[in-house]
Amino acid sequence: IYSRKLRSGKWTPEELEFANCTITYYNEGTLRLDESISLRNYLAKQLHCSPMRITKKIGAFCQSKLTILDVNHLCKRANVTDIDIKKAMQELKGLKIKFLNSLGNT
């Protein structure tokens, strides 16, 4: 579905929904990324676009790896279960499919 060219320009509603949901799950701790990848780069890869496009739309939040977490955030992440993680991954998979399908209509 992806062309070799990176996506650019206007964001689709489905693309924004996927990005916002991804950020929410990341904050909740239900989306766990390897320490070597930033949320910004993860989103860029998932959405097949430049990391700068993520920054322009979503802002500096995604540039952070969130390595400095406050106590409340750590506690929230500690309470995440495997079931929570599976549910989040299923929803993100569905949203990504919805996004990819929307590309055929643009």
Side-chain angles (χ1 to χ4, degrees):
I1 290 181
Y2 286 138
S3 67
R4 291 183 183 256
K5 183 179 176 189
L6 292 178
R7 287 188 41 73
S8 62
K10 186 175 178 173
W11 286 57
T12 67
E14 295 84 1
E15 190 173 24
L16 247 147
E17 183 179 16
F18 175 81
N20 288 331
C21 192
T22 300
I23 292 167
T24 298
Y25 283 139
Y26 180 81
N27 279 335
E28 291 174 354
T30 49
L31 173 64
R32 307 245 169 110
L33 301 178
D34 185 272
E35 289 181 15
S36 65
I37 188 166
S38 68
L39 180 57
R40 174 182 174 235
N41 285 334
Y42 176 81
L43 278 170
K45 183 176 180 180
Q46 294 300 307
L47 299 174
H48 194 65
C49 67
S50 161
M52 183 53 72
R53 184 168 180 259
I54 302 295
T55 301
K56 286 179 181 178
K57 186 66 176 183
I58 298 171
F61 169 78
C62 290
Q63 292 179 19
S64 170
K65 291 182 185 176
L66 290 184
T67 53
I68 302 173
L69 300 171
D70 64 30
V71 174
N72 291 331
H73 192 80
L74 287 172
C75 290
K76 185 188 279 188
R77 289 185 81 132
N79 292 326
V80 172
T81 66
D82 287 342
I83 292 171
D84 295 330
I85 293 170
K86 284 181 182 179
K87 285 180 183 177
M89 294 302 99
Q90 287 176 333
E91 182 175 7
L92 286 174
K93 183 179 179 180
L95 289 173
K96 186 168 182 182
I97 289 169
K98 186 177 171 183
F99 158 64
L100 291 173
N101 288 339
S102 77
L103 297 179
N105 299 327
T106 57

